[in-house]
Amino acid sequence: MTIRLFNTLSGKIEDLAASDGQSFRMYACGPTVYDYGHIGNFRTFLQVDVLRRFLKLQGLTPRHVMNITDVDDKIIRNAAAAGVDIGQYTPRFEKAFFEDLDALNVEKPEIVARATEHIPSMVGLIEKLAEQDCAYKTEDGSWYFRIAKFPGYGKLSKKDFTGITDGARVDVDEYDKDSARDFALWKAAKPGEYRWETALGAGRPGWHIECSAMATEYLGSGIDLHAGGEDLMFPHHENEIAQSESASHQCFARHWFHVRFLLVEGKKMSKSEGNFYTLRDLLLKGYKASAIRLLLISVPYRQQLNFTFEGLAAETGAIDRLRNFQQRVRSASAAATENSSLADETAKCEKNFIEGLANDLNSAEARAAVFDLVRAGNAAIDAGTLGAENVAQILGVLQQFDHVFGVLEDHDAEWTKFALEWAEREGRLNEASPEVLAQRGFSDEQIQKLVDERTQAKKTRNFARADAIRKELAEKGVLIEDSKDGVRWKRK
RNA sequence: GCACCGGUGGCGAAGUGGCUAACGCGCUGGUCUGCAAAACCAGUAUUCGCGGGUUCAAUUCCCGCCCGGUGCUCCA
């Protein structure tokens, strides 16, 4: 199946392929590690995850590079405020970032590259640009990219800069740039500021240069795909193209993948609106990591997604249904004969699932196909017309679904516990919801004891006592389910 | 202000110039149960922001308006 994906550069939907016929070389802009990641950040990382997982499902081998921006103005400012070196400031946020990706079941890229560990590579690139007069040094010792030397500037974001008047909006710090649009490659250190001593002078890299240097170092020129949030299109990605292509005289990236921003409760997410959420905020409120993942990936990446708590609750229900179905199919007693219409239904699901994703990563279409199978499969189980071959086929399709969607395995309670432990260490337990908090210190053993007592009470038909225990457990966030195979319980 | 994207049932959301407008959640009814819960089944938009136009036919194409979002500046 040919994978078709929208390319920001061409403005068209194009076929995706590994240009070297072996590995699919992709670069995705990673986080600036100065704070905890919010759900907007994670929508982008999650959509890139869906893409790379689907590529793998389709037999491609991704070679995926992600940068960690561990030096920038915000980091320098925050570290200085905390009275520590940037090297002491960033690791905890980098660690938190990867923990969050783990919680969201995001696969780790093949290569993770920190900006601070690639300074020589960036310096080399700037020197190469300087040799071609594409970079120049200003009086304060900073280096800038000369946009006038790159005719293709604006081709990604579709901007026409020909009419821009130089000097129209010049920043005070940038008074000696040749053109207002020229951007910093290397920022000279002001007294007392964090710095690297290099051939370019003492300073630190500009924001855009790290991605050009590291993408090229690990992947070479003409990479298959470059990804990021829609906001990065301009100026970040535009500048990456200008730098990289001026230095190499080759295409930097063939395909550009941009993920749309999300809304929260119908509004732009911002701290002042009070609708700004980190992953940890949501876990502490008792939402499941898997539901957060599913919600963030279920709306196609080019579509604005409205993140709501009602939607999050809905996805929790959807996940339960999918997991229950898988469990039901696994333990179903197979009928003697195969159900051919169900076999057709299963094949159709697989086809629609793959086609949906191949169609510009339409995850909504893909998951709808799976729910069609859930309905058909459940009906067959109810009717007792599920053959052994049917079981194998359905489980196979669910496995494919989960290769990409990654929500069927249940690690939710572990991540909630993880968030609680983190909050406790950070002195932020007050941010946890009462229900989540009630689970703290309520051990599995204690729960089991109450569950057993209730079972005994039921045996003696002491329903009043049994119901009282059920109520008590419910108040502490534990749900009881009676079934033929005994009593099950789970933390909500 | 200029440019771009979107507005589909209670909520999220797919899709299409003409077949019963996907799918999930919710809700209602049913099966099951000591009662629940869970699970399963069934039902649930004469209609796709508003006003025009093109067309035999528009939710789908065009124009205008209203609303939301994004970019033009740091931002996933």
Side-chain angles (χ1 to χ4, degrees), chain A residues 337-349 372-373 376-377 379-380 385-387 390 393-394:
Chain A
T337 53
E338 292 301 321
N339 182 332
S340 66
S341 75
L342 181 60
D344 292 347
E345 198 65 41
T346 309
K348 197 172 104 193
C349 166
D372 285 338
L373 179 62
T385 57
L386 194 71
N390 289 130
Q393 284 167 354
I394 291 173

Side-chain angles (χ1 to χ4, degrees), chain A residues 254-303:
Chain A
R254 306 183 308 135
H255 197 114
W256 289 83
F257 177 84
H258 290 106
V259 180
R260 198 89 191 264
F261 269 27
L262 54 70
L263 302 181
V264 177
E265 302 290 349
K267 288 187 180 146
K268 181 183 178 172
M269 180 171 68
S270 73
K271 286 183 177 164
S272 56
E273 280 285 350
N275 63 353
F276 183 94
Y277 300 107
T278 64
L279 175 66
R280 287 156 201 243
D281 290 336
L282 298 179
L283 293 176
L284 289 179
K285 280 175 182 288
Y287 293 99
K288 293 178 175 181
S290 60
I292 299 168
R293 175 178 171 98
L294 187 60
L295 178 57
L296 289 175
I297 66 180
S298 288
V299 176
Y301 74 99
R302 282 207 289 151
Q303 205 64 35

Side-chain angles (χ1 to χ4, degrees), chain A residues 342-383:
Chain A
L342 181 60
D344 292 347
E345 198 65 41
T346 309
K348 197 172 104 193
C349 166
E350 180 177 8
K351 179 172 172 283
N352 290 345
F353 175 74
I354 300 292
E355 279 181 1
L357 289 173
N359 174 23
D360 198 21
L361 226 56
N362 191 331
S363 48
E365 206 177 306
R367 67 174 255 173
V370 174
F371 279 103
D372 285 338
L373 179 62
V374 170
R375 199 176 328 99
N378 271 322
I381 294 171
D382 284 353

